[in-house]
Amino acid sequence: MGQWFGARSVKCLGLAGVAIDAESRGRGYARALLVETLREARARGFALSALYPATVTLYRRVGYELAGSYHRFSLPLAECPRLPSELLLEPIALDQVAAIEAVYREAARSRPGYLDRGAYVWERVRMPAAEAARGVLVRGARGVEGYVYLRSVRASGEKHELSLSDFVALTPNVTLVETQNA
């Protein structure tokens, strides 16, 4: 994958599943493994590396720091405005996946630090928590103007929550979408 900086994708190594046998911990093997992995990645042209740390101490020893953000917003459905719009919603079909990825790249290119997603990250967007998300495309006058991937999650009692794994809007008009075609 990469990360966008100055409208350019900078090659980024994503690390996952770093593990050391329990009996071998505390001997410097994890640090050595990471240092060698990062040396090899640099030799292969990777300028950046990113991961979700299980333990901050180990990763800080080899140069990582915390960065990025995670947001969670809640809003009762009844409080969402339903305004008229020329935009149409439709389920994302397999032949539209490339268009969805292009919409994301267009938006991400102008946002420093956003991922230039590879197949692994796209799979996590489309299958969060190992469950398929529903993809909805937003079509307007200039073609595809946005999208959302979401799942309905049962909350307490009869309530359901919509959990969004990804959404992008190329126009402010996407916020005014009428749900007539969803």
Side-chain angles (χ1 to χ4, degrees), residues 8 10-13 41-42 44-49:
R8 188 174 140 240
V10 178
K11 200 171 175 181
C12 179
L13 174 70
R42 183 67 182 141
R44 292 175 43 205
F46 287 90
L48 301 169
S49 174

Side-chain angles (χ1 to χ4, degrees), residues 5-122:
F5 293 100
R8 188 174 140 240
S9 179
V10 178
K11 200 171 175 181
C12 179
L13 174 70
L15 292 178
V18 177
I20 297 297
D21 185 81
E23 293 82 36
S24 300
R25 291 185 185 149
R27 299 182 186 174
Y29 295 141
R31 184 181 186 290
L33 174 66
L34 287 169
V35 167
E36 188 54 35
T37 298
L38 293 172
R39 276 192 191 121
E40 184 178 323
R42 183 67 182 141
R44 292 175 43 205
F46 287 90
L48 301 169
S49 174
L51 53 77
Y52 291 105
T55 174
V56 175
T57 305
L58 168 64
Y59 297 105
R60 278 200 167 135
R61 285 186 189 145
V62 295
Y64 287 94
E65 278 299 330
L66 295 177
S69 59
Y70 174 82
H71 302 277
R72 181 182 174 111
F73 303 97
S74 295
L75 176 69
L77 191 56
E79 293 181 24
C80 292
R82 293 181 52 92
L83 304 171
S85 175
E86 300 293 319
L87 299 171
L88 300 175
L89 299 180
E90 59 189 70
I92 296 173
L94 286 177
D95 65 345
Q96 295 169 319
V97 168
I100 294 302
E101 292 180 8
V103 166
Y104 172 81
R105 272 191 307 279
E106 182 179 340
R109 184 177 284 121
S110 64
R111 295 177 172 119
Y114 269 51
L115 289 180
D116 184 2
R117 296 175 174 165
Y120 174 80
V121 176
W122 276 110

Side-chain angles (χ1 to χ4, degrees), residues 122-145:
W122 276 110
E123 181 69 16
R124 291 189 60 168
V125 165
R126 294 182 181 115
M127 293 285 294
E131 228 179 275
R134 178 179 177 198
V136 179
L137 176 137
V138 180
R139 190 177 300 280
R142 60 177 255 198
V144 179
E145 296 190 27

